[in-house]
């Protein structure tokens, strides 16, 4: 390991002062708008973002993660949908975070949802020439529970570095009793059951995302506030030889599921991550559950753009943006 220290040019920020980008459908618990995945395209003068809308369990018009979309903006604040999918179109109980990746021929969209065949979370990928042209009839598996030897994979974050496509995913670790697994998957949400932990795993592709090789654990769960889940959400290069700064979600138990907080980690090679937030979260809001999750960080035009999902005093979640000058 290199012996020099990493200095992250990111001053502390107050997530409560962030700008509201998208509101929830209703000001009540269980209504969330978030899971942002962001691309900045300076050559086109635009921002692209994937996001999700969620409703409470039991909602008559579709519950949990019922709608995901791709949206476009010229200023990074006001977004307009150009493509969307609803859970009924996939026959799924829920969808969560998507990830958009540019390719030489256009874009790849990585989508995660509960597989209707076995009630385990999975990740698919579909290609298109433009961000409004995805046809799910052409989607193919990227990662599945069976293919990774896990109890489910979800919440992809993708990046391309040199010839390699990196696919980070939260996964439900295997090794639980069959009866516990059956009960957990009967809920169509093993991540919310407490029967296993949820580290971040890594898959690699050398053929532009046509196939992925599962590498296993890249960032383990911690021993304190992030002992149940450690989910890497984004990574920002810090400069030549300085490694990468990662933003991850953590919780101590399944009772905090859906209300995670953000921590920081570093990596020199994108394959192994070392947490910096060992004593507690890096960011939280001072109301509600305090949740600040799914932080997707982009450095553009000398400014950190931190997109995230945040809890509100009324129990709902909204999508926000904090802009912090590079310090």
């Amino acid at each position: 390991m290199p012996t020099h220290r990493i200095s992250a040019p990111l001053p502390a920020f107050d997530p409560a002062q962030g700008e509201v980008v998208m509101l929830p459908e209703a000001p009540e618990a269980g209504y969330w708008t978030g899971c942002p995945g962001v691309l900045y395209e300076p050559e086109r003068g635009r921002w692209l973002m994937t996001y999700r809308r969620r409703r409470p369990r039991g909602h008559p018009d579709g519950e949990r993660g019922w709608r995901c979309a791709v949206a476009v903006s010229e200023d990074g604040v006001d977004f307009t949908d150009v493509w969307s999918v609803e859970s009924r179109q996939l026959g799924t109980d829920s969808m969560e975070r998507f990830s958009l990746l540019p390719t030489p021929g256009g874009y790849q969209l990585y989508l995660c949802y509960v597989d209707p065949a076995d009630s385990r979370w999975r990740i698919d990928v579909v290609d298109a020439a433009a961000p409004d042209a995805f046809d799910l009839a052409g989607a193919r598996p990227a990662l599945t529970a069976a293919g990774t030897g896990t109890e489910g994979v979800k919440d992809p974050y993708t990046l391309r570095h040199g010839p390699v496509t990196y696919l980070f995913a939260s996964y439900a670790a295997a090794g639980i009793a069959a009866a516990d697994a059956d009960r957990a998957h009967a809920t169509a949400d093993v991540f919310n059951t407490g029967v296993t932990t949820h580290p971040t795993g890594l898959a690699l592709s050398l053929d532009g995302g046509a196939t992925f090789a599962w590498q296993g654990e890249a960032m383990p769960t911690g021993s304190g506030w992030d002992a149940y889940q450690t989910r890497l959400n984004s990574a920002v290069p810090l400069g030549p030889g300085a490694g990468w700064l990662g933003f991850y979600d953590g919780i101590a138990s399944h009772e905090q599921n859906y209300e995670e907080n953000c921590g920081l980690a570093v990596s020199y090679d994108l394959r192994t991550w070392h947490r910096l937030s060992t004593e507690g979260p890096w960011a939280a809001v001072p109301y509600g559950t305090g949740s600040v999750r799914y932080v997707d960080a982009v450095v553009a035009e000398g400014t950190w753009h931190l997109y995230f999902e945040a809890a509100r005093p009324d129990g709902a979640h909204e999508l926000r943006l904090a802009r912090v000058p590079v310090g």
Side-chain angles (χ1 to χ4, degrees):
M1 171 179 280
T3 56
H4 64 273
R5 296 181 179 181
I6 286 180
S7 176
L10 173 61
F13 84 107
D14 182 358
Q17 299 301 313
E19 304 168 76
V20 176
V21 175
M22 290 187 184
L23 293 168
E25 287 185 85
E28 302 173 20
Y31 286 95
W32 307 331
T33 297
C35 298
V38 183
L39 283 180
Y40 176 54
E41 298 185 314
E43 70 282 2
R44 291 187 170 98
R46 71 181 183 184
W47 296 78
L48 298 173
M49 180 173 68
T50 60
Y51 71 95
R52 181 189 74 149
R53 292 195 181 274
R54 185 204 191 261
R55 291 169 174 161
R57 293 178 185 269
H59 194 286
D61 296 322
E63 63 176 33
R64 297 173 60 194
W66 74 276
R67 184 178 187 273
C68 289
V70 178
V72 63
S73 171
E74 293 183 357
D75 61 6
V77 179
D78 295 317
F79 283 86
T80 301
D81 290 356
V82 295
W83 182 91
S84 66
V85 61
E86 296 185 10
S87 57
R88 59 180 174 78
Q89 295 172 255
L90 296 173
T92 183
D93 286 276
S94 189
M95 303 179 296
E96 203 150 339
R97 194 194 201 195
F98 285 17
S99 183
L100 193 63
L101 187 66
T103 68
Y107 300 88
Q108 286 177 336
L109 181 65
Y110 291 79
L111 52 151
C112 80
Y113 61 98
V114 177
D115 192 333
D118 62 6
S119 295
R120 287 162 166 80
W121 283 92
R122 63 180 289 154
I123 298 170
D124 287 358
V125 59
V126 60
D127 296 273
D132 61 354
F134 293 106
D135 181 357
L136 293 183
R140 60 187 182 276
L143 296 177
T144 64
T148 56
T150 68
E151 296 295 336
V153 283
K154 66 192 286 281
D155 298 327
Y157 175 71
T158 56
L159 62 87
R160 189 162 289 122
H161 185 54
V164 183
T165 302
Y166 292 76
L167 169 53
F168 297 96
S170 177
Y171 70 95
I176 58 180
D180 288 337
D182 290 343
R183 284 193 294 269
H185 293 305
T187 69
D189 194 5
V190 65
F191 290 78
N192 192 43
T193 62
V195 299
T196 185
T197 56
H198 308 293
T200 293
L202 172 63
L204 302 177
S205 174
L206 289 173
D207 55 15
T211 59
F212 281 92
W214 180 245
Q215 306 297 300
E217 184 182 83
M219 187 174 181
T221 53
S223 58
W225 72 276
D226 53 3
Y228 181 69
Q229 182 184 76
T230 298
R231 175 175 62 204
L232 185 70
N233 294 315
S234 60
V236 177
L238 297 176
W244 300 72
L245 178 66
F247 299 78
Y248 75 93
D249 287 343
I251 48 175
S253 82
H254 72 284
E255 295 177 351
Q256 300 164 295
N257 197 45
Y258 312 133
E259 303 292 344
E260 297 88 354
N261 279 116
C262 177
L264 296 180
V266 291
S267 176
Y268 287 101
D269 60 6
L270 290 173
R271 298 175 66 99
T272 302
W273 290 84
H274 308 276
R275 56 182 29 83
L276 300 178
S277 303
T278 56
E279 301 302 318
W282 175 65
V285 290
Y287 43 71
T289 62
S291 179
V292 170
R293 65 180 197 155
Y294 287 113
V295 173
D296 197 348
V298 178
V299 178
E301 299 176 354
T303 300
W304 286 86
H305 295 71
L306 304 170
Y307 290 85
F308 56 95
E309 180 181 323
R312 299 170 12 139
D314 55 24
H317 289 188
E318 62 191 15
L319 202 163
R320 312 191 84 174
L321 164 65
R323 289 186 276 197
V324 183
V326 172

